[in-house]
Amino acid sequence: MEYHGLKVEIRDKIALITMSRPQALNALNSDVISDFNRAVKELSQNKDIRVLIITGEGKAFIAGADIKELSEMNPAGAYTFSRKGQQAFERLEQLDIPVIAAVNGFALGGGCELAMACDMRIASTTAKFGMPEVTLGLMPGFAGTQRLTKLVGYSNAMYMMTTAETITAEEALRLGLVQIVAEPHQLMDTSMEVAQKIASRGKYAVKAVKELARKSTHTSMEFGSELESEAFAGLFGRPEADEGMLAFMEKRKPQWKG
Ligand code: CO8
């Protein structure tokens, strides 16, 4: 499949999207967002894939929405573009498999927003995170005000979005925005190792964990706990759980099919 501004590969149950518009530091324009949305939809239909990794080509992960395109928008166009990006990132977030952002460089504005729609972030020591929209007289428009606040807390999010300061990978790690920092030459190997580790776990168990963890952001403790019990019970009687528990008792690794 051909896409504007991105490449998709599948290697042994792990899908890799590489944002690839290096001449504009992988900035997101309408065409790229449409094709990103299409690529994610197509990957969602491939039930063999266990983990998705997203990275960027060149020195940026994604340097934000395309400012040249933004500069030509009127309010109606800006609203449509904002909704289009939000819907694409929502589709990404709703994938039933874990998604890792392998952040290789600048993750600014819309790029930071895309990374935040992933389940976890592994960053190169050279990565830079930031929400610089206010320097342009704009604000985050791909749900960054919502996701950043949930990920790093209200005051840290307000600091980043109002000062527009960029932060290093180490600072992002301290804030909980990033889970692992790796040397640039080890970023993809580290991300692939994490993906393979997840892919070696129970497929249905991992999917259930993601579904319940996502629900925790908008359900009460009481209702979320009830849903958790239902999902927990739903794993019993599956060959996956039978084999997983039997393998423990027989002191061997589980042999899962599929
Ligand atoms: N949009 C378009 N082109 C870009 C962008 C961008 N976001 N970022 C970089 N480029 C282009 C540059 O214009 C340049 O092109 P050219 O060579 O043709 O002049 C090329 O990429 C290389 O960039 P630089 O020469 O600037 O590279 P540097 O290493 O000197 O600087 C920076 C790197 C610091 C990342 C710098 O490029 C920069 O500040 N970029 C803009 C970052 C930014 O402000 N991002 C936020 C954009 S707004 C946003 O994301 C809002 C999201 C919500 C939208 C909702 C829509 C309604």
PDB file of all heavy atoms in Angstrom, residues 3-40:
ATOM      1  N   TYR A   3       1.185   5.352   0.816  1.00  0.00           N
ATOM      2  CA  TYR A   3       0.573   6.392   1.649  1.00  0.00           C
ATOM      3  C   TYR A   3       1.347   7.693   1.479  1.00  0.00           C
ATOM      4  O   TYR A   3       2.553   7.670   1.269  1.00  0.00           O
ATOM      5  CB  TYR A   3       0.626   5.992   3.134  1.00  0.00           C
ATOM      6  CG  TYR A   3      -0.003   4.656   3.448  1.00  0.00           C
ATOM      7  CD1 TYR A   3       0.780   3.516   3.573  1.00  0.00           C
ATOM      8  CD2 TYR A   3      -1.377   4.543   3.629  1.00  0.00           C
ATOM      9  CE1 TYR A   3       0.205   2.289   3.877  1.00  0.00           C
ATOM     10  CE2 TYR A   3      -1.961   3.319   3.934  1.00  0.00           C
ATOM     11  CZ  TYR A   3      -1.159   2.192   4.050  1.00  0.00           C
ATOM     12  OH  TYR A   3      -1.722   0.984   4.359  1.00  0.00           O
ATOM     13  N   HIS A   4       0.630   8.831   1.648  1.00  0.00           N
ATOM     14  CA  HIS A   4       1.295  10.142   1.664  1.00  0.00           C
ATOM     15  C   HIS A   4       2.030  10.300   2.988  1.00  0.00           C
ATOM     16  O   HIS A   4       1.403  10.246   4.054  1.00  0.00           O
ATOM     17  CB  HIS A   4       0.275  11.284   1.629  1.00  0.00           C
ATOM     18  CG  HIS A   4      -0.338  11.512   0.295  1.00  0.00           C
ATOM     19  ND1 HIS A   4       0.314  12.132  -0.731  1.00  0.00           N
ATOM     20  CD2 HIS A   4      -1.560  11.215  -0.172  1.00  0.00           C
ATOM     21  CE1 HIS A   4      -0.474  12.214  -1.773  1.00  0.00           C
ATOM     22  NE2 HIS A   4      -1.617  11.659  -1.467  1.00  0.00           N
ATOM     23  N   GLY A   5       3.322  10.528   2.948  1.00  0.00           N
ATOM     24  CA  GLY A   5       4.060  10.935   4.141  1.00  0.00           C
ATOM     25  C   GLY A   5       4.257   9.883   5.207  1.00  0.00           C
ATOM     26  O   GLY A   5       4.611  10.241   6.337  1.00  0.00           O
ATOM     27  N   LEU A   6       4.030   8.618   4.875  1.00  0.00           N
ATOM     28  CA  LEU A   6       4.321   7.572   5.851  1.00  0.00           C
ATOM     29  C   LEU A   6       4.518   6.232   5.152  1.00  0.00           C
ATOM     30  O   LEU A   6       4.088   6.050   4.019  1.00  0.00           O
ATOM     31  CB  LEU A   6       3.210   7.448   6.903  1.00  0.00           C
ATOM     32  CG  LEU A   6       1.783   7.206   6.442  1.00  0.00           C
ATOM     33  CD1 LEU A   6       1.238   5.934   7.059  1.00  0.00           C
ATOM     34  CD2 LEU A   6       0.913   8.380   6.884  1.00  0.00           C
ATOM     35  N   LYS A   7       5.215   5.344   5.863  1.00  0.00           N
ATOM     36  CA  LYS A   7       5.463   3.999   5.343  1.00  0.00           C
ATOM     37  C   LYS A   7       4.977   2.999   6.377  1.00  0.00           C
ATOM     38  O   LYS A   7       5.098   3.265   7.577  1.00  0.00           O
ATOM     39  CB  LYS A   7       6.965   3.777   5.146  1.00  0.00           C
ATOM     40  CG  LYS A   7       7.597   4.679   4.110  1.00  0.00           C
ATOM     41  CD  LYS A   7       9.100   4.454   4.109  1.00  0.00           C
ATOM     42  CE  LYS A   7       9.792   5.559   3.340  1.00  0.00           C
ATOM     43  NZ  LYS A   7      11.175   5.752   3.762  1.00  0.00           N
ATOM     44  N   VAL A   8       4.470   1.886   5.913  1.00  0.00           N
ATOM     45  CA  VAL A   8       3.981   0.858   6.834  1.00  0.00           C
ATOM     46  C   VAL A   8       4.692  -0.457   6.515  1.00  0.00           C
ATOM     47  O   VAL A   8       4.783  -0.845   5.360  1.00  0.00           O
ATOM     48  CB  VAL A   8       2.449   0.667   6.688  1.00  0.00           C
ATOM     49  CG1 VAL A   8       1.957  -0.434   7.622  1.00  0.00           C
ATOM     50  CG2 VAL A   8       1.710   1.967   6.981  1.00  0.00           C
ATOM     51  N   GLU A   9       5.206  -1.093   7.554  1.00  0.00           N
ATOM     52  CA  GLU A   9       5.829  -2.422   7.399  1.00  0.00           C
ATOM     53  C   GLU A   9       5.260  -3.333   8.478  1.00  0.00           C
ATOM     54  O   GLU A   9       4.919  -2.861   9.559  1.00  0.00           O
ATOM     55  CB  GLU A   9       7.334  -2.375   7.677  1.00  0.00           C
ATOM     56  CG  GLU A   9       8.174  -1.577   6.740  1.00  0.00           C
ATOM     57  CD  GLU A   9       9.524  -1.287   7.410  1.00  0.00           C
ATOM     58  OE1 GLU A   9      10.267  -2.233   7.736  1.00  0.00           O
ATOM     59  OE2 GLU A   9       9.784  -0.098   7.644  1.00  0.00           O
ATOM     60  N   ILE A  10       5.224  -4.617   8.185  1.00  0.00           N
ATOM     61  CA  ILE A  10       4.828  -5.581   9.221  1.00  0.00           C
ATOM     62  C   ILE A  10       5.935  -6.623   9.307  1.00  0.00           C
ATOM     63  O   ILE A  10       6.306  -7.223   8.304  1.00  0.00           O
ATOM     64  CB  ILE A  10       3.474  -6.252   8.886  1.00  0.00           C
ATOM     65  CG1 ILE A  10       2.388  -5.168   8.802  1.00  0.00           C
ATOM     66  CG2 ILE A  10       3.121  -7.297   9.953  1.00  0.00           C
ATOM     67  CD1 ILE A  10       1.060  -5.635   8.284  1.00  0.00           C
ATOM     68  N   ARG A  11       6.518  -6.762  10.501  1.00  0.00           N
ATOM     69  CA  ARG A  11       7.604  -7.721  10.716  1.00  0.00           C
ATOM     70  C   ARG A  11       7.210  -8.639  11.865  1.00  0.00           C
ATOM     71  O   ARG A  11       7.191  -8.188  13.013  1.00  0.00           O
ATOM     72  CB  ARG A  11       8.898  -7.012  11.157  1.00  0.00           C
ATOM     73  CG  ARG A  11       9.477  -6.048  10.171  1.00  0.00           C
ATOM     74  CD  ARG A  11      10.789  -5.527  10.781  1.00  0.00           C
ATOM     75  NE  ARG A  11      11.088  -4.215  10.253  1.00  0.00           N
ATOM     76  CZ  ARG A  11      11.888  -3.333  10.841  1.00  0.00           C
ATOM     77  NH1 ARG A  11      12.439  -3.629  11.999  1.00  0.00           N
ATOM     78  NH2 ARG A  11      12.135  -2.172  10.290  1.00  0.00           N
ATOM     79  N   ASP A  12       6.877  -9.868  11.537  1.00  0.00           N
ATOM     80  CA  ASP A  12       6.605 -10.886  12.546  1.00  0.00           C
ATOM     81  C   ASP A  12       5.663 -10.381  13.662  1.00  0.00           C
ATOM     82  O   ASP A  12       6.069 -10.243  14.819  1.00  0.00           O
ATOM     83  CB  ASP A  12       7.944 -11.385  13.144  1.00  0.00           C
ATOM     84  CG  ASP A  12       7.713 -12.603  14.022  1.00  0.00           C
ATOM     85  OD1 ASP A  12       6.720 -13.303  13.798  1.00  0.00           O
ATOM     86  OD2 ASP A  12       8.509 -12.806  14.958  1.00  0.00           O
ATOM     87  N   LYS A  13       4.445 -10.073  13.288  1.00  0.00           N
ATOM     88  CA  LYS A  13       3.371  -9.675  14.221  1.00  0.00           C
ATOM     89  C   LYS A  13       3.532  -8.267  14.790  1.00  0.00           C
ATOM     90  O   LYS A  13       2.765  -7.854  15.659  1.00  0.00           O
ATOM     91  CB  LYS A  13       3.252 -10.657  15.398  1.00  0.00           C
ATOM     92  CG  LYS A  13       2.876 -12.058  14.984  1.00  0.00           C
ATOM     93  CD  LYS A  13       2.699 -12.895  16.207  1.00  0.00           C
ATOM     94  CE  LYS A  13       2.425 -14.325  15.799  1.00  0.00           C
ATOM     95  NZ  LYS A  13       2.458 -15.248  16.887  1.00  0.00           N
ATOM     96  N   ILE A  14       4.578  -7.554  14.370  1.00  0.00           N
ATOM     97  CA  ILE A  14       4.756  -6.183  14.863  1.00  0.00           C
ATOM     98  C   ILE A  14       4.683  -5.237  13.668  1.00  0.00           C
ATOM     99  O   ILE A  14       5.417  -5.411  12.687  1.00  0.00           O
ATOM    100  CB  ILE A  14       6.082  -6.050  15.628  1.00  0.00           C
ATOM    101  CG1 ILE A  14       5.991  -6.946  16.877  1.00  0.00           C
ATOM    102  CG2 ILE A  14       6.351  -4.595  16.018  1.00  0.00           C
ATOM    103  CD1 ILE A  14       7.248  -7.177  17.601  1.00  0.00           C
ATOM    104  N   ALA A  15       3.758  -4.276  13.740  1.00  0.00           N
ATOM    105  CA  ALA A  15       3.617  -3.315  12.633  1.00  0.00           C
ATOM    106  C   ALA A  15       4.432  -2.067  12.972  1.00  0.00           C
ATOM    107  O   ALA A  15       4.558  -1.686  14.145  1.00  0.00           O
ATOM    108  CB  ALA A  15       2.152  -2.950  12.445  1.00  0.00           C
ATOM    109  N   LEU A  16       4.985  -1.474  11.931  1.00  0.00           N
ATOM    110  CA  LEU A  16       5.793  -0.258  12.114  1.00  0.00           C
ATOM    111  C   LEU A  16       5.286   0.804  11.143  1.00  0.00           C
ATOM    112  O   LEU A  16       5.264   0.579   9.931  1.00  0.00           O
ATOM    113  CB  LEU A  16       7.261  -0.574  11.829  1.00  0.00           C
ATOM    114  CG  LEU A  16       8.221   0.610  11.885  1.00  0.00           C
ATOM    115  CD1 LEU A  16       8.347   1.170  13.297  1.00  0.00           C
ATOM    116  CD2 LEU A  16       9.615   0.192  11.370  1.00  0.00           C
ATOM    117  N   ILE A  17       4.867   1.946  11.682  1.00  0.00           N
ATOM    118  CA  ILE A  17       4.544   3.108  10.839  1.00  0.00           C
ATOM    119  C   ILE A  17       5.698   4.087  10.987  1.00  0.00           C
ATOM    120  O   ILE A  17       6.043   4.480  12.112  1.00  0.00           O
ATOM    121  CB  ILE A  17       3.229   3.802  11.264  1.00  0.00           C
ATOM    122  CG1 ILE A  17       2.025   2.876  11.041  1.00  0.00           C
ATOM    123  CG2 ILE A  17       3.039   5.120  10.487  1.00  0.00           C
ATOM    124  CD1 ILE A  17       0.677   3.513  11.392  1.00  0.00           C
ATOM    125  N   THR A  18       6.308   4.478   9.868  1.00  0.00           N
ATOM    126  CA  THR A  18       7.377   5.484   9.897  1.00  0.00           C
ATOM    127  C   THR A  18       6.853   6.740   9.211  1.00  0.00           C
ATOM    128  O   THR A  18       6.532   6.716   8.018  1.00  0.00           O
ATOM    129  CB  THR A  18       8.639   4.972   9.166  1.00  0.00           C
ATOM    130  OG1 THR A  18       9.024   3.732   9.763  1.00  0.00           O
ATOM    131  CG2 THR A  18       9.788   5.972   9.298  1.00  0.00           C
ATOM    132  N   MET A  19       6.720   7.818   9.973  1.00  0.00           N
ATOM    133  CA  MET A  19       6.272   9.086   9.389  1.00  0.00           C
ATOM    134  C   MET A  19       7.408   9.578   8.499  1.00  0.00           C
ATOM    135  O   MET A  19       8.559   9.664   8.933  1.00  0.00           O
ATOM    136  CB  MET A  19       5.947  10.109  10.483  1.00  0.00           C
ATOM    137  CG  MET A  19       4.920   9.630  11.511  1.00  0.00           C
ATOM    138  SD  MET A  19       3.392   8.949  10.830  1.00  0.00           S
ATOM    139  CE  MET A  19       2.648  10.420  10.113  1.00  0.00           C
ATOM    140  N   SER A  20       7.094   9.862   7.251  1.00  0.00           N
ATOM    141  CA  SER A  20       8.162  10.035   6.282  1.00  0.00           C
ATOM    142  C   SER A  20       7.904  11.215   5.339  1.00  0.00           C
ATOM    143  O   SER A  20       7.445  11.043   4.218  1.00  0.00           O
ATOM    144  CB  SER A  20       8.299   8.726   5.498  1.00  0.00           C
ATOM    145  OG  SER A  20       9.286   8.844   4.533  1.00  0.00           O
ATOM    146  N   ARG A  21       8.161  12.386   5.882  1.00  0.00           N
ATOM    147  CA  ARG A  21       8.099  13.609   5.090  1.00  0.00           C
ATOM    148  C   ARG A  21       9.251  14.483   5.592  1.00  0.00           C
ATOM    149  O   ARG A  21       9.042  15.588   6.102  1.00  0.00           O
ATOM    150  CB  ARG A  21       6.747  14.285   5.369  1.00  0.00           C
ATOM    151  CG  ARG A  21       6.218  15.124   4.256  1.00  0.00           C
ATOM    152  CD  ARG A  21       4.877  15.744   4.634  1.00  0.00           C
ATOM    153  NE  ARG A  21       4.705  16.964   3.901  1.00  0.00           N
ATOM    154  CZ  ARG A  21       4.347  18.126   4.434  1.00  0.00           C
ATOM    155  NH1 ARG A  21       4.083  18.235   5.731  1.00  0.00           N
ATOM    156  NH2 ARG A  21       4.234  19.194   3.686  1.00  0.00           N
ATOM    157  N   PRO A  22      10.464  13.938   5.525  1.00  0.00           N
ATOM    158  CA  PRO A  22      11.591  14.555   6.248  1.00  0.00           C
ATOM    159  C   PRO A  22      11.893  15.981   5.812  1.00  0.00           C
ATOM    160  O   PRO A  22      12.407  16.770   6.616  1.00  0.00           O
ATOM    161  CB  PRO A  22      12.768  13.613   5.969  1.00  0.00           C
ATOM    162  CG  PRO A  22      12.353  12.724   4.868  1.00  0.00           C
ATOM    163  CD  PRO A  22      10.865  12.699   4.840  1.00  0.00           C
ATOM    164  N   GLN A  23      11.557  16.332   4.572  1.00  0.00           N
ATOM    165  CA  GLN A  23      11.824  17.710   4.115  1.00  0.00           C
ATOM    166  C   GLN A  23      11.036  18.730   4.925  1.00  0.00           C
ATOM    167  O   GLN A  23      11.413  19.904   4.987  1.00  0.00           O
ATOM    168  CB  GLN A  23      11.550  17.855   2.596  1.00  0.00           C
ATOM    169  CG  GLN A  23      10.105  17.809   2.153  1.00  0.00           C
ATOM    170  CD  GLN A  23       9.485  16.396   2.088  1.00  0.00           C
ATOM    171  OE1 GLN A  23      10.061  15.418   2.536  1.00  0.00           O
ATOM    172  NE2 GLN A  23       8.279  16.307   1.514  1.00  0.00           N
ATOM    173  N   ALA A  24       9.924  18.310   5.568  1.00  0.00           N
ATOM    174  CA  ALA A  24       9.134  19.212   6.427  1.00  0.00           C
ATOM    175  C   ALA A  24       9.120  18.682   7.863  1.00  0.00           C
ATOM    176  O   ALA A  24       8.180  18.932   8.619  1.00  0.00           O
ATOM    177  CB  ALA A  24       7.724  19.357   5.887  1.00  0.00           C
ATOM    178  N   LEU A  25      10.175  17.969   8.236  1.00  0.00           N
ATOM    179  CA  LEU A  25      10.284  17.365   9.574  1.00  0.00           C
ATOM    180  C   LEU A  25       9.012  16.573   9.941  1.00  0.00           C
ATOM    181  O   LEU A  25       8.551  16.604  11.076  1.00  0.00           O
ATOM    182  CB  LEU A  25      10.603  18.426  10.638  1.00  0.00           C
ATOM    183  CG  LEU A  25      11.880  19.254  10.411  1.00  0.00           C
ATOM    184  CD1 LEU A  25      12.174  20.125  11.629  1.00  0.00           C
ATOM    185  CD2 LEU A  25      13.090  18.395  10.086  1.00  0.00           C
ATOM    186  N   ASN A  26       8.482  15.871   8.920  1.00  0.00           N
ATOM    187  CA  ASN A  26       7.316  14.982   9.077  1.00  0.00           C
ATOM    188  C   ASN A  26       6.057  15.721   9.558  1.00  0.00           C
ATOM    189  O   ASN A  26       5.183  15.113  10.195  1.00  0.00           O
ATOM    190  CB  ASN A  26       7.642  13.803  10.021  1.00  0.00           C
ATOM    191  CG  ASN A  26       8.868  13.034   9.562  1.00  0.00           C
ATOM    192  OD1 ASN A  26       9.122  12.932   8.357  1.00  0.00           O
ATOM    193  ND2 ASN A  26       9.639  12.502  10.484  1.00  0.00           N
ATOM    194  N   ALA A  27       5.979  17.034   9.257  1.00  0.00           N
ATOM    195  CA  ALA A  27       4.795  17.810   9.665  1.00  0.00           C
ATOM    196  C   ALA A  27       3.530  17.194   9.068  1.00  0.00           C
ATOM    197  O   ALA A  27       3.538  16.660   7.957  1.00  0.00           O
ATOM    198  CB  ALA A  27       4.949  19.261   9.218  1.00  0.00           C
ATOM    199  N   LEU A  28       2.452  17.300   9.838  1.00  0.00           N
ATOM    200  CA  LEU A  28       1.182  16.663   9.465  1.00  0.00           C
ATOM    201  C   LEU A  28       0.322  17.627   8.659  1.00  0.00           C
ATOM    202  O   LEU A  28      -0.144  18.635   9.190  1.00  0.00           O
ATOM    203  CB  LEU A  28       0.419  16.279  10.737  1.00  0.00           C
ATOM    204  CG  LEU A  28       1.116  15.295  11.696  1.00  0.00           C
ATOM    205  CD1 LEU A  28       0.362  15.240  13.021  1.00  0.00           C
ATOM    206  CD2 LEU A  28       1.221  13.917  11.066  1.00  0.00           C
ATOM    207  N   ASN A  29       0.105  17.318   7.398  1.00  0.00           N
ATOM    208  CA  ASN A  29      -0.884  18.082   6.624  1.00  0.00           C
ATOM    209  C   ASN A  29      -2.127  17.199   6.424  1.00  0.00           C
ATOM    210  O   ASN A  29      -2.159  16.048   6.886  1.00  0.00           O
ATOM    211  CB  ASN A  29      -0.288  18.598   5.300  1.00  0.00           C
ATOM    212  CG  ASN A  29       0.142  17.471   4.367  1.00  0.00           C
ATOM    213  OD1 ASN A  29      -0.338  16.344   4.484  1.00  0.00           O
ATOM    214  ND2 ASN A  29       1.043  17.781   3.445  1.00  0.00           N
ATOM    215  N   SER A  30      -3.144  17.743   5.737  1.00  0.00           N
ATOM    216  CA  SER A  30      -4.412  17.001   5.592  1.00  0.00           C
ATOM    217  C   SER A  30      -4.214  15.662   4.911  1.00  0.00           C
ATOM    218  O   SER A  30      -4.802  14.652   5.322  1.00  0.00           O
ATOM    219  CB  SER A  30      -5.393  17.808   4.750  1.00  0.00           C
ATOM    220  OG  SER A  30      -5.781  18.914   5.461  1.00  0.00           O
ATOM    221  N   ASP A  31      -3.387  15.639   3.871  1.00  0.00           N
ATOM    222  CA  ASP A  31      -3.181  14.377   3.150  1.00  0.00           C
ATOM    223  C   ASP A  31      -2.523  13.333   4.040  1.00  0.00           C
ATOM    224  O   ASP A  31      -2.897  12.159   4.022  1.00  0.00           O
ATOM    225  CB  ASP A  31      -2.291  14.604   1.906  1.00  0.00           C
ATOM    226  CG  ASP A  31      -3.032  15.359   0.815  1.00  0.00           C
ATOM    227  OD1 ASP A  31      -4.281  15.431   0.894  1.00  0.00           O
ATOM    228  OD2 ASP A  31      -2.366  15.893  -0.095  1.00  0.00           O
ATOM    229  N   VAL A  32      -1.535  13.784   4.815  1.00  0.00           N
ATOM    230  CA  VAL A  32      -0.840  12.824   5.685  1.00  0.00           C
ATOM    231  C   VAL A  32      -1.815  12.296   6.748  1.00  0.00           C
ATOM    232  O   VAL A  32      -1.851  11.094   7.021  1.00  0.00           O
ATOM    233  CB  VAL A  32       0.399  13.471   6.353  1.00  0.00           C
ATOM    234  CG1 VAL A  32       1.035  12.511   7.349  1.00  0.00           C
ATOM    235  CG2 VAL A  32       1.425  13.892   5.304  1.00  0.00           C
ATOM    236  N   ILE A  33      -2.623  13.184   7.300  1.00  0.00           N
ATOM    237  CA  ILE A  33      -3.566  12.726   8.334  1.00  0.00           C
ATOM    238  C   ILE A  33      -4.583  11.749   7.743  1.00  0.00           C
ATOM    239  O   ILE A  33      -4.894  10.729   8.341  1.00  0.00           O
ATOM    240  CB  ILE A  33      -4.238  13.925   9.032  1.00  0.00           C
ATOM    241  CG1 ILE A  33      -3.164  14.589   9.906  1.00  0.00           C
ATOM    242  CG2 ILE A  33      -5.427  13.489   9.887  1.00  0.00           C
ATOM    243  CD1 ILE A  33      -3.620  15.634  10.840  1.00  0.00           C
ATOM    244  N   SER A  34      -5.071  12.032   6.533  1.00  0.00           N
ATOM    245  CA  SER A  34      -6.014  11.094   5.886  1.00  0.00           C
ATOM    246  C   SER A  34      -5.365   9.733   5.717  1.00  0.00           C
ATOM    247  O   SER A  34      -5.977   8.694   5.997  1.00  0.00           O
ATOM    248  CB  SER A  34      -6.411  11.579   4.490  1.00  0.00           C
ATOM    249  OG  SER A  34      -7.143  12.751   4.592  1.00  0.00           O
ATOM    250  N   ASP A  35      -4.123   9.736   5.244  1.00  0.00           N
ATOM    251  CA  ASP A  35      -3.478   8.447   4.984  1.00  0.00           C
ATOM    252  C   ASP A  35      -3.057   7.747   6.273  1.00  0.00           C
ATOM    253  O   ASP A  35      -3.054   6.514   6.336  1.00  0.00           O
ATOM    254  CB  ASP A  35      -2.288   8.632   4.030  1.00  0.00           C
ATOM    255  CG  ASP A  35      -2.783   8.633   2.586  1.00  0.00           C
ATOM    256  OD1 ASP A  35      -4.009   8.835   2.387  1.00  0.00           O
ATOM    257  OD2 ASP A  35      -1.979   8.409   1.673  1.00  0.00           O
ATOM    258  N   PHE A  36      -2.715   8.530   7.293  1.00  0.00           N
ATOM    259  CA  PHE A  36      -2.406   7.931   8.600  1.00  0.00           C
ATOM    260  C   PHE A  36      -3.664   7.210   9.114  1.00  0.00           C
ATOM    261  O   PHE A  36      -3.609   6.057   9.550  1.00  0.00           O
ATOM    262  CB  PHE A  36      -1.955   9.015   9.584  1.00  0.00           C
ATOM    263  CG  PHE A  36      -1.647   8.495  10.954  1.00  0.00           C
ATOM    264  CD1 PHE A  36      -0.448   7.868  11.218  1.00  0.00           C
ATOM    265  CD2 PHE A  36      -2.582   8.613  11.986  1.00  0.00           C
ATOM    266  CE1 PHE A  36      -0.165   7.364  12.483  1.00  0.00           C
ATOM    267  CE2 PHE A  36      -2.314   8.111  13.244  1.00  0.00           C
ATOM    268  CZ  PHE A  36      -1.101   7.490  13.503  1.00  0.00           C
ATOM    269  N   ASN A  37      -4.794   7.880   8.994  1.00  0.00           N
ATOM    270  CA  ASN A  37      -6.071   7.311   9.431  1.00  0.00           C
ATOM    271  C   ASN A  37      -6.373   6.015   8.656  1.00  0.00           C
ATOM    272  O   ASN A  37      -6.755   4.999   9.246  1.00  0.00           O
ATOM    273  CB  ASN A  37      -7.169   8.360   9.185  1.00  0.00           C
ATOM    274  CG  ASN A  37      -8.462   8.013   9.883  1.00  0.00           C
ATOM    275  OD1 ASN A  37      -8.491   7.177  10.779  1.00  0.00           O
ATOM    276  ND2 ASN A  37      -9.543   8.638   9.454  1.00  0.00           N
ATOM    277  N   ARG A  38      -6.132   6.048   7.357  1.00  0.00           N
ATOM    278  CA  ARG A  38      -6.376   4.860   6.516  1.00  0.00           C
ATOM    279  C   ARG A  38      -5.433   3.722   6.915  1.00  0.00           C
ATOM    280  O   ARG A  38      -5.852   2.574   7.034  1.00  0.00           O
ATOM    281  CB  ARG A  38      -6.172   5.263   5.039  1.00  0.00           C
ATOM    282  CG  ARG A  38      -6.426   4.150   4.045  1.00  0.00           C
ATOM    283  CD  ARG A  38      -6.618   4.712   2.645  1.00  0.00           C
ATOM    284  NE  ARG A  38      -5.449   5.384   2.107  1.00  0.00           N
ATOM    285  CZ  ARG A  38      -4.456   4.769   1.452  1.00  0.00           C
ATOM    286  NH1 ARG A  38      -4.504   3.471   1.249  1.00  0.00           N
ATOM    287  NH2 ARG A  38      -3.438   5.450   0.976  1.00  0.00           N
ATOM    288  N   ALA A  39      -4.168   4.060   7.149  1.00  0.00           N
ATOM    289  CA  ALA A  39      -3.195   3.021   7.515  1.00  0.00           C
ATOM    290  C   ALA A  39      -3.589   2.362   8.840  1.00  0.00           C
ATOM    291  O   ALA A  39      -3.548   1.135   8.973  1.00  0.00           O
ATOM    292  CB  ALA A  39      -1.797   3.632   7.627  1.00  0.00           C
ATOM    293  N   VAL A  40      -4.006   3.191   9.808  1.00  0.00           N
ATOM    294  CA  VAL A  40      -4.393   2.635  11.111  1.00  0.00           C
ATOM    295  C   VAL A  40      -5.631   1.749  10.952  1.00  0.00           C
ATOM    296  O   VAL A  40      -5.717   0.660  11.536  1.00  0.00           O
ATOM    297  CB  VAL A  40      -4.635   3.769  12.136  1.00  0.00           C
ATOM    298  CG1 VAL A  40      -5.235   3.238  13.431  1.00  0.00           C
ATOM    299  CG2 VAL A  40      -3.326   4.503  12.432  1.00  0.00           C
TER     300      VAL A  40
END
